[in-house]
Amino acid sequence: MANEIGDTAGMNKARVESFSDGVFAFAITLLVLSIPIPDIKSADDQLLTAGLLRVIPQLIPYVTSFATIGIIWLNHHSMFHEVEKVKHTTLTLNLVLLLVVAFIPYSTGVIGRYGALRSAVVLYGATFTAGGLAFSALWFDIRRNQLSREREDDARIRPTTIRNLIGPVIYPLATALAFVAPKTSLGIFFGLAGFYYLPGLPRRNDGP
């Protein structure tokens, strides 16, 4: 049994991608539950309108989380498109990434219920920090073990490497900032999602 678990070099990578796609789809669907339905005492249109307007600021973490999961999925697909084989470490790191992705709806739901409270934003930022680290670790594992069809030199992959490291550096800094300025931290998280969603140059495997 140990040999079967350890010997994953011949595993069909399509199974890894299919399982990962399922987790991404499930997580991104659950995000809508983070948007609270207005709690009004009676079916009054004016009260409902006021309640819906109060929900608008809470759409920011929803959009941020949706964009972040979408970006991770797009780059995960691009990264595994070039992978020729997988190893046990690759599978493990991929599972760690999916573990974090599946947790994003929960931390987003906490923001949706309690708003920009310090503890809620710290949890939100810590989740993104873990996601950035997990994606970068997976990307470096694939490159280090030369599991990809691409055989790029260091100069060509350096821009992607730098972009992959921006998230793991900025996310923890923004999370620390949440202890004193949680709303500013949310703005940084939203800005990072926009940064990765709108790349300036066509690059592959840009991190979350």
Side-chain angles (χ1 to χ4, degrees):
M1 178 64 70
N3 290 336
E4 293 179 359
I5 296 176
D7 185 13
T8 56
M11 176 177 288
N12 185 354
K13 70 164 187 174
R15 295 188 61 188
V16 179
E17 292 181 286
S18 296
F19 177 76
S20 300
D21 286 346
V23 174
F24 283 120
F26 183 70
I28 212 166
T29 301
L30 286 180
L31 282 177
V32 73
L33 299 180
S34 67
I35 305 176
I37 297 175
D39 185 13
I40 58 178
K41 297 180 180 180
S42 61
D44 181 272
D45 187 65
Q46 186 175 0
L47 291 176
L48 179 58
T49 300
L52 291 173
L53 290 175
R54 286 194 295 269
V55 170
I56 291 178
Q58 299 178 24
L59 294 178
I60 296 177
Y62 166 76
V63 173
T64 302
S65 297
F66 191 99
T68 300
I69 293 178
I71 292 162
I72 297 173
W73 172 71
L74 287 171
N75 292 310
H76 184 276
H77 171 73
S78 177
M79 179 167 55
F80 271 86
H81 177 72
E82 301 297 335
V83 169
E84 295 179 307
K85 58 184 178 180
V86 293
K87 291 188 175 182
H88 182 64
T89 55
T90 311
L91 295 178
T92 300
L93 291 172
N94 189 64
L95 286 175
V96 172
L97 175 62
L98 297 179
L99 172 71
V100 178
V101 169
F103 189 77
I104 291 177
Y106 176 80
S107 59
T108 306
V110 173
I111 292 285
R113 176 172 294 186
Y114 297 105
L117 293 181
R118 181 179 62 185
S119 299
V121 179
V122 168
L123 175 64
Y124 194 60
T127 304
F128 283 167
T129 298
L133 291 173
F135 186 94
S136 295
L138 178 60
W139 186 81
F140 280 115
D141 176 78
I142 290 174
R143 290 298 176 185
R144 183 181 68 251
N145 291 296
Q146 296 184 342
L147 305 179
S148 174
R149 287 193 295 266
E150 292 183 339
R151 297 293 182 262
E152 298 177 337
D153 55 36
D154 291 340
R156 292 185 63 187
I157 67 174
R158 187 174 296 114
T160 301
T161 302
I162 294 174
R163 285 175 64 86
N164 282 346
L165 293 176
I166 289 178
V169 171
I170 300 299
Y171 280 134
L173 293 177
T175 302
L177 180 63
F179 284 96
V180 293
K183 291 184 178 180
T184 302
S185 293
L186 284 178
I188 294 174
F189 298 143
F190 186 82
L192 276 176
F195 169 77
Y196 281 121
Y197 190 74
L198 300 173
L201 295 173
R203 298 184 182 111
R204 292 180 174 176
N205 304 333
D206 291 344

